[in-house]
Amino acid sequence: MKYLQIRGERKKIPGFPHHKEFVYRTYRFFEVKSLFNFLTIDGYFQIPKKIYHDRKNDCVVPRLLLIDPTSACNLNCTGCWAADYKKNSHLSYEKLDEILTDAQRIGVLTIIMSGGEPLMRKKDILKLAAKHTKLTFGLFTNGTLIDEEFVKEMVKLGNLNVFVSIEGYREETDMRRGEGTFDKVMQAMDLLKKHDIGFGFSACYHSRNYKTVADDGFLDFLREKGAWFGWMFNYLPIGCNSDISLCCSPEQREYVKKNVEIYQKKNNYAIIDFANTGHKAIGCVAAGSDFAHINANGDMEPCAFCHYSDSNVNDMTLVEALRSPFFKNFREHKPFSDNSLRPCPLMDVPDGIVSVTKTPGVRSTHLNNPESGIQLAEKTRQLSEKWKPVADRLYNEMPRSEKRRFAFIKSLYRVSGLIKKD
């Protein structure tokens, strides 16, 4: 039996595909110290199985497949790219069922749903999780549609979890998400904790809330509310009308990085900070290396933030979409920087997004407000240039063990074909 220490309590972890087992794997990922640990994160023989599935299907199979079942949402958050999408885009139940069937067959372990607000499709999601019992499901949700009935269904299923979005305390959360949202999120967390769901929190940090979300007191507060782990995303100015003033300065980003790392180590608490944990993986994990994203219109995108595509699952199978020339070219450009603290082609190496979006057939998936790779790079170039010297200093200060870890994992991914660039 596997165990995790959660808020001082030793919790039993059921076997895969239980939602708590996904949390357990997340903790293990951040504790990798040896080749054996790395090769067995997803269970014994998973790496050979992955290589087998990749070769058999002639594509790179992501560990986590992100899917937006709908672009609809019951909130209208400031700075959210969902406003650039058509509000009536959705994947049919039949198409979702087909994607999940194919995903399980080719070796995908985890399905994560976002949107829009995925719980606008609550009944369909419950039905899909009940049918596909060999997959783990997680939902990025604003939390306002979580009620007692839904949580009880989660307990029955076992393989369904939620990651509840929060921007800070009441003032910060309601500022972006609307008045009264914070109170509804608190009610949702109380319900999840009451039923012993190993849920996570999801926080977008930006220039107005970065100190709050990286503060020990706030993270202690979320742990006390019942969050077993957390996802943290730096605000990205995606979309033509995005508010660039919300982007963190290099000093603000460094503040979050350092505070979160200290907190994780001190409290043995897993937090996935996408902007600042490139040294824990291979830098960028998009385009199938670990993640791939299908939006509500069916477009296959490298990740949830990279809104470009050359393939659509409404016109082809999942495997055919994963064979995308865009994905292949994207992986051949990785890692986008030798400094693992500059992993992202959108924010850290904008010439990277310009290069990969030149792949023939690639288009912007912002249907209402399309934005080229060149246009996005023009917005983020100044930020990336300011971050580079800070990232270089932080990389030079990084313990040799972390640098070796990055080099080791990068070499493993290269051998397995997940990245090509030397």
Side-chain angles (χ1 to χ4, degrees), residues 108-123:
V108 173
L109 298 173
T110 300
I111 302 296
I112 294 181
M113 293 186 177
S114 54
E117 168 52 50
L119 287 181
M120 299 288 281
R121 300 281 302 278
K122 189 184 294 187
K123 291 183 179 179

Side-chain angles (χ1 to χ4, degrees), residues 2-15:
K2 295 174 284 191
Y3 296 89
L4 271 180
Q5 199 76 11
I6 303 294
R7 299 185 305 276
E9 185 179 350
R10 195 165 183 252
K11 296 278 191 177
K12 289 183 178 180
I13 306 299

Side-chain angles (χ1 to χ4, degrees), residues 68-73 80-91 115-117 295-299 307 363 365-370:
D68 298 345
T70 181
S71 61
C73 186
C80 178
W81 67 62
D84 287 340
Y85 283 98
K86 292 180 178 179
K87 293 297 184 181
N88 59 351
S89 295
H90 74 279
L91 293 167
E117 168 52 50
N295 70 18
N297 196 49
D299 299 307
H307 297 172
R363 56 184 172 75
T365 53
H366 273 78
L367 301 182
N368 289 347
N369 295 290

